Amino acid sequence: MYLASSRRGRAWRALWAATLVSLSGAALLGGAPHAAAEEASRRAWLGVELEPGPAGGVVAKHVVTSSPAAKAGIVDGDQVIAADGVQIDEPKQLVARVALAGPGNVVNLRIRRGGRERDVAPTLVPFPGHDQILRLDKIGTFAPAWKSLTTVGGTVPANIGTLRGNVVLLDFWATWCGPCRLMAPQLSAWHAAYAAQGLRVVGVTTDDVGVATKTAQALSMRYAVAADVSESTSAAYGVKALPTMFVIDKKGVIRDVVVGYDPTRHAEVEKLLKALLAEAAPAP
């Protein structure tokens, strides 16, 4: 369930639309699943979220890990000043160049970093889909720090760093999200089965503390639950749909990302949890 349905739907919808356009170069139209897949295969993807530059050009606000942009050496904060020899003054110009080039083709970019300019030539790929973009961006990276979380239930550590040596199952949910409610009993079951072995389940919601508390009690959430009212932690993890679950190993590295409620994947997730719990804890 995408966050456009939340009480902050308009803000999320605007943010996600801007991100989607800058990442993929075209808006994905609705329609039948096979039509959407066919349309996505024709869309070129660079893998960078853009914002206007302070002195011309556009700035790479965020470069997705393992994206064409990242593989070409573009990093967060780089300024794109030209594409295929054409000066770039605003994000929509770069979006248009990416769309024009198409998947499988190269777009020649001139970037500026620290006052120095250089050329890069990323090879564009077909748009991989929103869920896969999140997996590309987060799997294999250290879990971002938590920001401004308020305890709703259980024991919520001040930061994820204090959980090193434990396996963490971090679930982003909302009180209004039907699939999230369906997921809660499974999370409680995993908590009951593996907490003694070092599993820590933490649920994070952007709902108000009072609403979250009532729902957590109603759903008998036996694990730690926190409110991310400022939405800063959700933003740090790149959450765009609910539920979204991150499996984090004892070193603090994200090992899997599961978007949506899919009971057929529960056995796979549990197998991964067992494997991670069996791994040696990192040295102090």
Side-chain angles (χ1 to χ4, degrees), residues 2 17 49 55 60 62 77 91 96 106 109-111 137 163 194 216 246 253 284:
Y2 281 92
E49 183 182 349
H62 177 62
V106 171
L109 304 177
R110 177 166 286 268
I111 65 171
D137 197 32
L163 292 178
Y194 300 110
F246 295 82
V253 175

Side-chain angles (χ1 to χ4, degrees), residues 38-77:
E38 182 179 351
E39 174 67 20
S41 70
R42 295 196 295 264
R43 299 165 62 201
W45 186 62
L46 177 61
V48 60
E49 183 182 349
L50 307 172
E51 62 182 3
V58 296
V59 172
K61 180 180 179 181
H62 177 62
V63 178
V64 176
T65 305
S66 301
S67 67
K71 292 177 180 178
I74 301 174
V75 300
D76 293 359

Side-chain angles (χ1 to χ4, degrees), residues 193-210:
Y194 300 110
Q197 300 176 39
L199 176 66
R200 298 293 179 264
V201 180
V202 181
V204 176
T205 177
T206 59
D207 290 317
D208 292 333
V209 174

